[in-house]
Amino acid sequence: MTTPAVEVFAVPAVFEERESEIRSYCRAFPAVWTSARGAHLYAADGRAYVDFLAGAGALNYGHNHPALKAALVEYLAGDGVGHALDMHTTAKEAFLSAFVEDVLEPRGLDHKVQFTGPTGTNAVEAAFKVARKATGRSGVFAFMGGYHGHTLGSLAATANRYHRGAAGVDLGNVTFLPFPGGPTRDLDTLGYLRTILADSHSGVDLPAAVIVETVQAEGGVNVAPAEWLAGLAEICAEHGILLIVDEIQTGCGRTGPFLSFERAGIVPDVVVVSKSISGLGLPMALTLIRPEFDVWSPGEHTGTFRGNQLAFVTGTAALALWRSGEVQRTIERNTALISDILARDVVSLDERLELRGIGMLWGVDTARIDPTGVLAAAIGERCFADGLVIERVGRNDTVLKLLPPLTIDAFTLGEGLAILAAATSSCLPT
Ligand code: PLP
């Protein structure tokens, strides 16, 4: 494989000298960003990049969507409340009403909405705590390859050893099960679960909850079959185990429907949502809880930043876009485009390349050519040199993950895919 001639960026000294070694995305994409619009990021040197990272899923509507930006600017100009803990505000009322009307009621979901701390992991922590409180049990079943965040509770359910190793303490109370994708794809998890849960001598205690992603995004774009998800929900219901669906990356239209579990016809007990729920990339996270499991006492799980008023404003505007049907139409068109072009121009380059995905979440897996991830890294670097921001995920980061804004126009989508095809072609071993 060839090593791309990647430009060397002059990174301002303050980042290397004073920002913690923890920094990550800026190492893979070492530009200095100044502005962004739609599916484009603009660097300080004036170069435009097509953005297939989209804030790791926080920018389903692209950068600075005009309708969302206008709502925010109007709210700020009118001295709208900027911070209010979890007190009632008109901004929160509008968001909650729209969320109930546009997301929950049409799907027959009677879940209560908990506004947690601002980021995805906060919603997962709340989900685990409420499930433990509601059932009086401590264990959680999670899946190999799964990703749920980096605070201690959610990290315990995150499979990646590199991330787990940073915990500094034992991560307990979680049992990992094989996921129907990735290296464990052929194992019969549902059969195993049915057997061990029914067997009083299995030595496995009944857990409080099972947490699952319908598509493991960070885990390498592994799509769980709908019937498998339905089977899992059935087992949970049979044994009084709460089913938590992590919609943090798959939600808000990423896989087609607003919530990705819809394709399986299931109703989870708890759903966690974050990333694109505010539309504009502002932090907000929700834990949706079936009323019978909303066993919290007032203030038992609290925090200063549970009510991002600005996120409520842009989130309400984003739900209005969804209601108009405009976003769904674009997703349908883009889904057809992205899957067709990837199959025709990228995966056709080598029969060992594997394409996986659904809706607007796709992965090109290079592991069968190079399981070490060197090839995928070379392709990613070549893409960046040619003006495309694209992330790598999965075991050894062998999978190039495509996560463009759902609203990307067909021309820009084609442009990004052409860069990926050329980069793949130039980096493949001859
Ligand atoms: N769950 C899933 C499926 C995610 O993809 C992520 C983040 O990528 C998280 C949880 C954690 O969210 P956050 O990084 O906002 O804490």
Side-chain angles (χ1 to χ4, degrees):
M1 67 204 65
T2 55
T3 308
V6 176
E7 286 168 59
V8 178
F9 282 80
V11 177
V14 67
F15 294 119
E16 293 198 340
E17 286 170 9
R18 301 312 298 253
E19 191 179 356
S20 163
E21 288 306 310
I22 199 70
R23 58 196 197 280
S24 58
Y25 284 105
C26 56
R27 297 181 194 267
F29 312 117
V32 179
W33 308 110
T34 54
S35 59
R37 181 79 191 259
H40 283 108
L41 273 162
Y42 299 94
D45 64 2
R47 260 192 96 177
Y49 291 76
V50 176
D51 187 3
F52 276 11
L53 174 61
L59 294 164
N60 281 4
Y61 303 89
H63 296 270
N64 289 311
H65 189 289
L68 311 190
K69 197 172 68 173
L72 181 61
V73 167
E74 189 186 328
Y75 185 76
L76 288 170
D79 282 341
V81 173
H83 184 272
L85 296 159
D86 73 344
M87 288 188 280
H88 300 150
T89 61
T90 49
K92 186 173 180 176
E93 182 189 3
F95 174 78
L96 190 53
S97 304
F99 190 73
V100 170
E101 222 168 279
D102 296 326
V103 177
L104 298 182
E105 280 180 355
R107 291 162 183 82
L109 304 173
D110 61 354
H111 294 55
K112 301 287 249 348
V113 180
Q114 177 179 359
F115 295 97
T116 67
T119 190
T121 195
N122 301 131
V124 175
E125 297 290 345
F128 286 171
K129 278 176 74 173
V130 84
R132 286 172 170 140
K133 187 170 186 207
T135 59
R137 303 191 288 262
S138 56
V140 167
F141 286 177
F143 290 94
M144 297 171 188
Y147 186 93
H148 301 289
H150 283 213
T151 47
L152 289 182
S154 65
L155 187 57
T158 292
N160 184 324
R161 277 191 199 138
Y162 176 70
H163 292 143
R164 295 174 66 81
V169 294
D170 291 340
L171 297 169
N173 294 310
V174 175
T175 304
F176 285 92
L177 299 170
F179 190 76
T184 59
R185 79 183 87 186
D186 296 327
L187 301 176
D188 178 16
T189 298
L190 298 189
Y192 173 78
L193 267 180
R194 282 194 187 97
T195 305
I196 61 162
L197 291 173
D199 177 10
S200 60
H201 285 54
S202 68
V204 177
D205 292 328
L206 204 60
V210 170
I211 185 163
V212 68
E213 296 157 90
T214 67
V215 183
Q216 289 185 336
E218 298 308 297
V221 191
N222 299 313
V223 184
E227 57 284 7
W228 184 90
L229 291 165
L232 182 66
E234 205 178 281
I235 293 170
C236 286
E238 206 174 298
H239 292 275
I241 301 166
L242 271 60
L243 178 64
I244 304 172
V245 173
D246 184 337
E247 290 279 3
I248 288 169
Q249 191 154 161
T250 51
C252 308
R254 176 53 63 183
T255 69
F258 194 85
L259 295 165
S260 72
F261 62 75
E262 292 176 47
R263 75 184 159 95
I266 59 174
V267 180
D269 300 301
V270 180
V271 183
V272 286
V273 181
S274 182
K275 291 208 189 261
S276 274
I277 189 64
S278 81
L280 201 70
L282 301 173
M284 166 148 64
L286 311 176
T287 301
L288 315 177
I289 311 164
R290 272 191 155 167
E292 60 268 41
F293 301 121
D294 183 27
V295 293
W296 290 123
S297 301
E300 205 176 10
H301 181 82
T302 182
T304 307
F305 292 108
R306 284 170 300 144
N308 184 340
Q309 306 300 317
L310 308 185
F312 291 148
V313 171
T314 57
T316 307
L319 289 171
L321 280 185
W322 189 266
R323 192 183 321 130
S324 74
E326 182 193 316
V327 184
Q328 289 93 314
R329 283 191 291 277
T330 318
I331 296 175
E332 256 172 58
R333 183 204 63 198
N334 282 345
T335 297
L337 272 180
I338 198 169
S339 52
D340 289 355
I341 299 176
L342 279 170
R344 192 192 65 203
D345 296 346
V346 182
V347 217
S348 58
L349 292 168
D350 189 307
E351 61 187 15
R352 293 167 296 173
L353 290 170
E354 199 180 311
L355 181 62
R356 295 189 295 269
I358 184 167
M360 289 294 282
L361 170 49
W362 289 86
V364 176
D365 194 345
T366 62
R368 288 194 297 194
I369 306 173
D370 173 24
T372 68
V374 171
L375 171 61
I379 297 172
E381 281 174 27
R382 181 74 261 165
C383 283
F384 188 66
D386 292 344
L388 174 68
V389 175
I390 185 167
E391 189 183 12
R392 288 173 291 115
V393 294
R395 275 97 172 162
N396 288 339
D397 285 342
T398 59
V399 181
L400 292 138
K401 184 179 76 169
L402 292 88
L403 209 64
L406 307 179
T407 51
I408 190 171
D409 65 87
F411 179 81
T412 310
L413 180 58
E415 205 181 7
L417 291 167
I419 294 173
L420 175 61
T424 308
S425 172
S426 72
C427 294
L428 280 170
T430 45

